Amino acid sequence: MKRENGIKMIQQAFQQGVKMKDISEETAKKYTRCIGNFFNTLDEIRELGFDKKSRDAYNPKFWKGGWVDKHFNKMYERFHGNGKKPVSGSYIESTAHAFGKLQQLVNEHDVWKNAGVVKVRVGLKGSIESESGRLYQNYLHGASASADESTSIKASDKEYNKILQGIEKVIPKSNPNYQTIKNVIISQRHTGGRITVETNLKVGDINLTNMTKYYNKDKNDFSRRVPLSNNQKLFYRNLTQGKAKGSPLFPLFDTNNKQMDKETASKYMQNIYKKVAESSGLIEKNENGKVISRYTSHSTRRVYAQGLYDSTRFTSSKKLDYEIKKYINNQGSNKEGIIERIQKEKVRLNYYRIQKGLPMKDFTWNQKRKLLVMLHLGHSRTDICRKSYIVEDLFLCKTPKKLRKW
């Protein structure tokens, strides 16, 4: 089978999904592109270990899960900066969903029955919760994107204040969790933590001497410390004063007055965000009623990120170096791991210079600003900062490159 015939089969399968109203036209096109790029890997037949007699590599009937595994491994290499061209975590996530949806359409809905294909072998999609399959592998590589992340808006303090003021619309002040809910959201705005680690904070994680907040085993079990400002000191002092270090900072209780575990507390807060966003007009749906954008807990991370980025608008490159070094020195045992992450990011940004045998360049002024933001959020990719978290300064977007002297 020729490559173009294989692509046509993929298109037909997803178009059937559109007719069944299982996916949208836009998603069908995106998934077709994702699996079409898999065909670029199929060009390397000998490296993948195909049967030399096989001339039907593009025929999905003969695919094997191991071939798709190889494709994902190559994407992971590129994601971590070791491949020919960088690839984003959201793209890898989309590819995992594309293969999963194709498998479902073929195996469960017989969309290729006329072509004599009743089963396609592309491996297990899985999930983070089940700790299996591609979605879990993406998570382990830091390349996963939850529904919360993919639909959440890049919000401003205006939207954040709507959320904070809208809590009492869905939770009465008489509710024993009311103030704690509010405190969690305020705390998240202070330092941009994920809701899962905010709800799991202990009193001892707040250090008012060093003015830091400790996120224990954040995403990928990566622990980190983020700085607190002097303006936030009173807020955390009131929450921690006179309490044992092992006590929960934000205890939440169910209807039986039993304290929620961290998973339940996190889901509870996500649900609160959802209800408040809806009641505050911060949710948008398409004509089919599907949510396409909304304010979520991840939006609060973005509000923090934007605020931090904006605060460095008139910060010199030398001062940014100092702030990055200060952040690193606060990390304790994770210090070396963060330095390694930063070095990998520098290598990724210099990929083409390295290929040409040229010396690596240091981070630019604006890249340092984005790097500082991403370190505070538990990341290090500067390109993801602009794509997923912030809107860059207008002058950086409008000014011709030759005039950008930063």
Side-chain angles (χ1 to χ4, degrees):
M1 179 181 287
K2 293 182 178 180
R3 178 191 174 96
E4 53 267 30
N5 291 334
I7 294 287
K8 191 173 181 179
M9 281 187 70
I10 303 299
Q11 288 175 328
Q12 289 173 341
F14 287 127
Q15 282 304 313
Q16 282 294 103
V18 173
K19 290 178 181 178
M20 294 161 53
K21 297 185 177 180
D22 193 51
I23 55 174
S24 67
E25 184 73 41
E26 184 180 352
T27 300
K29 290 178 181 178
K30 179 172 70 173
Y31 284 180
T32 299
R33 289 194 299 270
C34 287
I35 298 182
N37 283 332
F38 167 57
F39 283 9
N40 296 332
T41 304
L42 288 178
D43 289 338
E44 305 169 15
I45 292 177
R46 291 187 183 277
E47 183 185 339
L48 283 169
F50 281 82
D51 183 344
K52 293 179 182 178
K53 296 179 181 179
S54 173
R55 297 181 182 275
D56 257 346
Y58 299 119
N59 188 339
K61 182 177 181 178
F62 302 108
W63 286 355
K64 295 180 181 178
W67 300 350
V68 185
D69 288 339
K70 184 72 173 180
H71 178 59
F72 273 86
N73 287 338
K74 285 181 173 293
M75 285 195 292
Y76 293 142
E77 288 177 10
R78 291 167 60 190
F79 174 74
H80 292 299
N82 301 321
K84 295 178 181 178
K85 187 178 178 181
V87 65
S88 68
S90 60
Y91 177 78
I92 300 175
E93 191 83 354
S94 293
T95 304
H97 285 292
F99 276 109
K101 180 55 66 177
L102 179 66
Q103 191 174 49
Q104 182 186 27
L105 290 170
V106 175
N107 296 3
E108 297 179 18
H109 300 290
D110 297 325
V111 297
W112 281 343
K113 189 175 182 180
N114 292 338
V117 182
V118 295
K119 188 174 184 180
V120 64
R121 292 174 288 276
V122 295
L124 177 68
K125 177 183 173 182
S127 67
I128 295 173
E129 292 74 17
S130 66
E131 298 188 357
S132 63
R134 294 226 163 76
L135 293 181
Y136 182 59
Q137 286 302 312
N138 289 357
Y139 170 75
L140 294 179
H141 280 276
S144 62
S146 66
D148 179 30
E149 293 170 329
S150 61
T151 61
S152 65
I153 62 172
K154 285 183 181 179
S156 66
D157 271 313
K158 182 180 179 180
E159 286 85 13
Y160 163 75
N161 287 328
K162 280 187 177 182
I163 291 293
L164 204 60
Q165 294 163 10
I167 294 173
E168 60 186 85
K169 294 179 183 177
V170 297
I171 297 289
K173 289 184 177 181
S174 58
N175 188 301
N177 286 329
Y178 175 81
Q179 191 57 50
T180 302
I181 291 168
K182 202 166 186 177
N183 288 342
V184 170
I185 295 174
I186 292 171
S187 177
Q188 195 185 17
R189 171 64 183 87
H190 284 166
T191 50
R194 296 177 178 87
I195 199 69
T196 50
V197 285
E198 290 291 345
T199 54
N200 196 40
L201 283 168
K202 302 291 188 293
V203 169
D205 293 329
I206 305 299
N207 188 324
L208 294 180
T209 302
N210 296 332
M211 291 302 292
T212 59
K213 181 193 287 186
Y214 180 59
Y215 288 133
N216 184 32
K217 293 186 177 181
D218 196 358
K219 192 173 183 179
N220 299 328
D221 283 342
F222 199 86
S223 300
R224 59 197 176 89
R225 289 179 176 83
V226 289
L228 298 171
S229 72
N230 287 325
N231 293 335
Q232 298 160 2
K233 195 168 187 175
L234 182 61
F235 173 81
Y236 291 102
R237 179 179 287 160
N238 289 337
L239 288 173
T240 59
Q241 203 165 33
K243 296 178 183 177
K245 289 187 176 182
S247 301
L249 190 66
F250 301 119
L252 291 163
F253 300 90
D254 61 21
T255 53
N256 295 320
N257 204 32
K258 183 180 178 182
Q259 187 176 321
M260 300 178 193
D261 57 39
K262 63 179 182 180
E263 288 82 10
T264 306
S266 175
K267 289 178 181 177
Y268 176 78
M269 284 301 305
Q270 297 284 20
N271 193 43
I272 294 294
Y273 263 111
K274 182 179 178 181
K275 289 180 178 179
V276 177
E278 194 158 14
S279 67
S280 302
L282 294 173
I283 184 167
E284 184 182 355
K285 299 179 181 180
N286 63 16
E287 60 276 10
N288 298 321
K290 182 179 180 181
V291 173
I292 55 176
S293 70
R294 58 178 173 150
Y295 192 109
T296 72
S297 68
H298 204 70
S299 299
T300 302
R301 273 168 62 76
R302 288 168 166 164
V303 175
Y304 168 76
Q306 188 69 55
L308 179 56
Y309 174 77
D310 290 344
S311 72
T312 62
R313 169 67 180 84
F314 299 104
T315 304
S316 69
S317 184
K318 188 174 181 179
K319 181 70 187 308
L320 287 168
D321 287 335
Y322 170 78
E323 292 297 332
I324 290 170
K325 185 177 180 180
K326 182 180 175 182
Y327 177 89
I328 293 169
N329 288 335
N330 265 333
Q331 301 312 309
S333 60
N334 277 340
K335 181 177 177 179
E336 295 305 318
I338 291 176
I339 292 174
E340 184 179 350
R341 282 185 174 194
I342 294 172
Q343 186 59 29
K344 283 184 177 180
E345 176 62 359
K346 186 180 287 188
V347 169
R348 187 187 70 80
L349 291 170
N350 281 275
Y351 177 80
Y352 292 107
R353 292 184 62 82
I354 294 170
Q355 293 299 303
K356 295 176 182 179
L358 298 172
M360 287 200 302
K361 285 186 176 181
D362 193 9
F363 295 104
T364 65
W365 169 74
N366 196 46
Q367 285 170 346
K368 288 177 184 178
R369 296 173 70 196
K370 290 186 285 187
L371 178 63
L372 181 64
V373 171
M374 295 308 278
L375 289 174
H376 279 231
L377 293 174
H379 293 293
S380 58
R381 290 281 294 266
T382 54
D383 57 334
I384 300 299
C385 183
R386 181 175 67 175
K387 180 178 179 181
S388 300
Y389 290 96
I390 65 159
V391 176
E392 288 191 273
D393 297 320
L394 186 62
F395 83 99
L396 285 173
C397 302
K398 296 287 186 181
T399 309
K401 287 184 178 179
K402 62 182 180 181
L403 297 179
R404 296 181 193 173
K405 298 180 180 180
W406 299 103

